[in-house]
Amino acid sequence: MGRSQSLPRGGDPRFGPDADDTGCTILHVDMDAFYASVEVRRRPELRGRPVVVGGVGPRGVVSSASYEARRYGVRSAMPTARARALCPGAVYLPPDFTAYTEASRAVMRIFRDVTPLVEPLSLDEAFLDVAGARRLFGRPADIAALIRRRVAEEQRLTCSVGVGPSKFVAKLGSTRAKPDGLLVVPAARVLEFLHPLPVSALWGVGERSADALRRLGLRTVRDLAEAPAGLLRRAVGEASAAHLHELAWGRDPRGVTPEQVEKSIGAEVTFDTDVSDPDEIRRSLLALADKAGARLRTAGQVGRTVSLKVRFADFRTISRSRTLAVPTDTAREMFDTAWALWGALAPGEPVRLVGVRMEGLAPAGETPQQLTLGAPERGWREAEAAADAAAARFGRSVIGPASLLGRRDTRQVEKPTRP
């Protein structure tokens, strides 16, 4: 069996910006160390220093690390305590998801200036189909360069772009282009690019699957591509075997899906120490409802079902939900419902995590809401919209619906929940 190799380097002329991009109409754009880069953008004095964004408490997790921090071994999803041990001199910052969402929206607008066929995967990455943009903007590699230039000039952020004939190949290309690079995988060189890679490069191969494949002597993508079907099925099951075999031969027929509708928007918090104090739980639910409400309004969405998530000290996790009579995007109504769900639950034991999420989303402009002028829910919406406008100028950590939130609890570590 073959030996696994790293991805071809971005400086390899076979896969550089001048490579043949005929038929390579799929771009994968991935922002570089996005959360950390947004923080450095608004705090220029941090440029060149290790910056780590994530939960700052003892149970916190790293959300993003600048490339200066990565040189010390700091990685996303790593416990913050481990990151501090590896890089004690880094600047550690709590996440500001309102700022990251605003930056993401600005970047996505640049993408949509080029093509309407944009499929966001998260705040910091998206697939683009530029087949229809070639007449106006040129070859796919030129379009990728244009996007990188506009993001740098207009947003003062960097991104890496992979250009390929399929989503799978384009995403592999952007991975190798990092940071701040561009890599083209010509359609005629896909297998030349793909087959030397370790099996872990394939979508759907996690650590456990990779171990199972390696035990069978399947170390490279070429090994997997040439393996008997029965051997693959024994290692990963019938469905996964068929999926991986197709990817190993560079076959990925999926197209770019322009609209990816969010199914829920919310936030959750992991406490530094397990909490049983009802007042602290209440403050947490208030703060989480405020964050979720701001994200709903930023996304132009309303929802009908409020969900409460609770994780206990022994890691048992339960959820409770309630559907509202009228869709809403207000933090106040989300909190009232979540607090009622908590009261009905009455767990009576310390909790490690709580979360608030709004489900059953729909566009705000197309959904009937509270129509009575001056009604309480209408008043809360107007007040919270005004707070949003102030937060856009001064930051949500400074401006917030104080009558709703009260004192912020700085011992908490907040992270977003996505569908």
Side-chain angles (χ1 to χ4, degrees), residues 283 285-291 400-408:
R283 287 196 300 269
L285 295 179
L286 282 165
L288 295 173
D290 177 56
K291 293 176 186 295
S403 60
L404 173 68
L405 288 178
R407 183 175 63 85
R408 292 179 62 89

Side-chain angles (χ1 to χ4, degrees), residues 72-388:
Y72 292 86
V74 179
R75 295 291 184 268
S76 297
M78 172 183 289
T80 303
R82 173 64 176 157
R84 289 185 185 276
L86 291 171
C87 190
V91 177
Y92 289 84
L93 300 171
D96 181 350
F97 290 105
T98 299
Y100 310 149
T101 299
E102 291 170 356
S104 174
R105 288 166 67 88
V107 169
M108 296 295 170
R109 281 196 294 269
I110 292 174
F111 299 167
R112 293 187 176 96
D113 283 347
V114 172
T115 174
L117 300 179
V118 176
E119 180 182 346
L121 300 180
S122 62
L123 291 179
D124 60 350
E125 62 176 319
F127 285 113
L128 287 68
D129 186 334
V130 298
R134 289 174 295 179
R135 177 174 297 181
L136 186 61
F137 296 108
R139 51 192 288 265
D142 293 338
I143 295 173
L146 170 65
I147 289 171
R148 294 184 61 243
R149 184 170 62 252
R150 284 195 57 186
V151 169
E153 292 176 354
E154 298 175 23
Q155 296 302 315
R156 292 178 291 129
L157 298 168
T158 65
C159 62
S160 299
V161 185
V163 182
S166 68
K167 294 168 78 172
F168 170 54
V169 171
K171 185 169 175 63
L172 284 178
S174 69
T175 298
R176 189 51 185 171
K178 283 185 167 295
D180 192 19
L182 165 62
L183 189 143
V184 177
V185 182
R189 292 185 179 270
V190 166
L191 297 185
E192 184 179 344
F193 175 83
L194 186 60
H195 276 185
L197 307 184
V199 291
S200 57
L202 296 175
W203 277 348
V205 176
E207 185 175 343
R208 185 175 301 177
S209 298
D211 287 342
L213 292 167
R214 282 192 290 264
R215 283 195 295 270
L216 295 173
L218 306 180
R219 299 183 178 279
T220 68
V221 174
R222 182 189 300 275
D223 293 340
L224 192 149
E226 296 175 349
L231 184 66
L232 276 184
R233 286 196 294 268
R234 286 196 299 274
V236 297
E238 186 167 353
S240 293
H243 165 74
L244 295 179
H245 178 78
E246 290 298 294
L247 290 183
W249 286 104
R251 294 191 283 263
D252 178 16
R254 299 168 306 147
V256 172
T257 305
E259 295 296 330
Q260 191 171 36
V261 179
E262 290 183 301
K263 297 179 181 178
S264 67
I265 290 178
E268 59 188 37
V269 58
T270 299
F271 298 102
D272 289 351
T273 57
D274 299 331
V275 171
S276 56
D277 180 7
D279 287 339
E280 190 163 359
I281 297 295
R282 182 177 185 275
R283 287 196 300 269
S284 300
L285 295 179
L286 282 165
L288 295 173
D290 177 56
K291 293 176 186 295
R295 292 172 191 161
L296 279 167
R297 293 186 294 275
T298 298
Q301 299 280 301
V302 293
R304 291 196 61 176
T305 300
V306 178
S307 176
L308 172 70
K309 176 180 176 181
V310 179
R311 179 169 297 155
F312 297 102
D314 60 2
F315 285 88
R316 286 181 298 115
T317 304
I318 62 174
S319 297
R320 297 290 184 269
S321 63
R322 181 172 298 174
T323 299
L324 308 175
V326 177
T328 187
D329 57 7
T330 65
R332 181 67 197 198
E333 190 158 6
M334 290 181 66
F335 164 72
D336 286 343
T337 306
W339 185 239
L341 290 168
W342 172 266
L345 184 63
E349 58 181 297
V351 299
R352 176 185 178 91
L353 172 151
V354 291
V356 177
R357 184 173 69 253
M358 181 64 84
E359 302 171 341
L361 304 186
E366 301 174 10
T367 308
Q369 299 180 38
Q370 179 67 266
L371 299 178
T372 305
L373 183 63
E377 207 266 338
R378 168 93 179 184
W380 280 113
R381 182 180 298 112
E382 292 169 341
E384 292 177 22
D388 291 341

